[in-house]
Amino acid sequence: DCYLLESINFPKSLSQIGAMAFRGCVSLKNVEILSNCLDEDSQEAFALSGLENITLGEGVTYIPDHCFAETKLSTLELPSTVMEIGNSAFALCKLEKVVLNVGLITIGHQAFASNYNLTEIAIPKTVTNITEMAFSGCSELKKVVFEGNAPSTYEYLDQISGVWKPIN
């Protein structure tokens, strides 16, 4: 919630960005992350910030839960090294264009939920796990292209047990 923070330069030597580190920094518009500094402990790192553009460098392997949720991002291009997008990582953004990378394996629960401007997306052939409601609320999403076979199973969260279960 540092309302006046407009820019930040992350060194390539950065090893971790903590949870909620830049959450609510509404004046922060652009971020360049060049190292693999995002992990399970980086949840909500940029959520509710003013981010309009992010550059993720080669080496970033994971996009944490809620990391970029409720930002002003309109385009997203993942580097070839990203293997997993966490739960609600890009939920409630303003995404119009998303380029997912070959090498991506998992798209988390509500990862792109409620991106009302997203009209189409291509799912790389390496994606084997799309969890429940990954694109829920994307009311303008009219075209989904699977570049390989569509995953044969999807997962849903059993609300009673709290356990992820596969469905065919």
Side-chain angles (χ1 to χ4, degrees):
D1 293 322
C2 185
Y3 300 111
L4 300 178
L5 181 64
E6 294 180 1
S7 66
I8 187 162
N9 294 316
F10 296 117
K12 288 183 180 181
S13 61
L14 182 66
S15 62
Q16 185 183 36
I17 296 175
M20 298 189 280
F22 300 96
R23 185 181 192 273
C25 294
V26 295
S27 297
L28 186 61
K29 304 293 183 206
N30 303 297
V31 168
E32 186 174 29
I33 300 172
L34 301 176
S35 65
N36 191 24
C37 58
L38 299 173
D39 61 21
E40 305 83 37
D41 295 324
S42 303
Q43 301 120 345
E44 296 186 49
F46 297 95
L48 299 164
S49 70
L51 279 183
E52 296 174 359
N53 299 295
I54 58 170
T55 301
L56 299 172
E58 293 295 323
V60 174
T61 59
Y62 175 66
I63 309 297
D65 294 354
H66 308 278
C67 190
F68 299 101
E70 297 187 58
T71 60
K72 298 177 182 178
L73 294 174
S74 61
T75 61
L76 172 66
E77 186 167 347
L78 296 179
S80 65
T81 51
V82 172
M83 297 186 303
E84 181 177 352
I85 298 171
N87 299 335
S88 301
F90 298 99
L92 291 160
C93 292
K94 308 225 181 278
L95 289 170
E96 297 174 11
K97 180 180 180 185
V98 174
V99 179
L100 301 176
N101 60 300
V102 172
L104 181 65
I105 298 168
T106 299
I107 299 174
H109 175 70
Q110 294 185 336
F112 294 97
S114 299
N115 277 278
Y116 305 113
N117 298 322
L118 189 61
T119 59
E120 65 181 76
I121 192 159
I123 308 294
K125 62 184 174 184
T126 55
V127 173
T128 57
N129 186 20
I130 299 175
T131 55
E132 180 183 29
M133 299 168 56
F135 298 94
S136 66
C138 294
S139 55
E140 295 303 311
L141 185 60
K142 306 293 186 210
K143 182 178 180 181
V144 178
V145 176
F146 289 93
E147 294 176 341
N149 293 324
S152 58
T153 61
Y154 297 85
E155 289 184 326
Y156 75 98
L157 180 62
D158 181 329
Q159 298 295 333
I160 296 170
S161 68
V163 174
W164 288 97
K165 297 182 176 183
I167 57 174
N168 290 335

